[in-house]
Amino acid sequence: MSNVEQTLSIIKPDAVERNLDDKIKSVFINKGFKIVKEKKIKLEKEDAEKFYKVHETKPFYNDLCEYLSSGLIVAMVLEKEDAVLANRKLMGATDPKKAEEGTLRKQFGISIDKNSIHGSDSINNSKIEIDFFFKD
Ligand code: IDP
Ligand code: MG
């Protein structure tokens, strides 16, 4: 049975700064994702804090929110069969040093904090995260 899903992807400031957004978008398209919605925006720190609220007790939370709101990002809704898992696989491990060959983070990530890309980790969170950027 088919299981077409939508997931949220964010091209993070380190990648937008290096003009990698078109290159990353073409990777998604070549892997069979449809970019259903997209916008290039800069978040306020308060927005980043809301987006990453699940991490608020982590020692890296403040830096993470500073970072996500430090420059332009591209938020996208990606659609594909089993999109959530397919996107997580294409992104690779959180730490680019540990990411497998052929993954986006291996290819473009600089460090664990500047890892170029975000992707929803579950179908439930994908809905929450898509609403965060695209509700209305
Ligand atoms: P994910 O992005 O692979 O889902 P999460 O654990 O949800 O990873 O963490 C969110 C983001 O927080 C990561 O993408 C990364 O940029 C940052 N992060 C995660 N763990 C660390 C850490 O140990 N030090 C610094 N930043 C971290
Ligand atoms: Mg996560």
Side-chain angles (χ1 to χ4, degrees):
M1 232 170 60
S2 95
N3 181 45
V4 175
E5 294 174 345
Q6 292 190 340
T7 189
L8 185 88
S9 173
I10 303 174
I11 304 175
K12 293 185 178 181
D14 66 276
V16 177
E17 245 164 46
R18 287 176 287 152
N19 288 312
L20 292 169
D21 33 330
D22 284 343
K23 206 170 190 172
I24 291 173
K25 281 192 264 178
S26 69
V27 173
F28 284 123
I29 291 161
N30 289 335
K31 294 284 180 184
F33 290 89
K34 202 192 289 180
I35 301 172
V36 179
K37 290 180 188 167
E38 73 171 275
K39 60 177 166 188
K40 196 170 193 171
I41 50 166
K42 188 174 178 297
L43 295 182
E44 297 298 329
K45 186 166 181 210
E46 297 71 45
D47 301 322
E49 285 168 353
K50 201 174 153 208
F51 181 77
Y52 273 134
K53 196 157 175 48
V54 289
H55 292 304
E56 72 183 331
T57 60
K58 308 272 172 64
F60 56 83
Y61 178 64
N62 186 58
D63 288 347
L64 177 62
C65 297
E66 283 281 358
Y67 167 65
L68 192 69
S69 57
S70 68
L72 286 167
I73 60 171
V74 180
M76 298 174 286
V77 176
L78 303 179
E79 189 176 282
K80 187 188 181 339
E81 183 80 14
D82 301 319
V84 173
L85 189 61
N87 181 41
R88 294 291 300 188
K89 280 188 176 159
L90 180 56
M91 284 163 51
T94 306
D95 183 352
K97 289 201 295 285
K98 295 178 184 158
E100 280 180 46
E101 218 49 68
T103 62
L104 289 168
R105 283 167 165 171
K106 172 76 180 184
Q107 202 177 342
F108 302 116
I110 297 168
S111 57
I112 192 164
D113 44 332
K114 295 186 173 176
N115 59 7
S116 300
I117 194 107
H118 166 86
S120 310
D121 63 3
S122 65
I123 190 70
N124 189 48
N125 284 336
S126 75
K127 288 175 183 149
I128 295 168
E129 293 181 356
I130 289 169
D131 269 2
F132 180 88
F133 282 100
F134 295 101
K135 200 167 186 158
D136 56 41

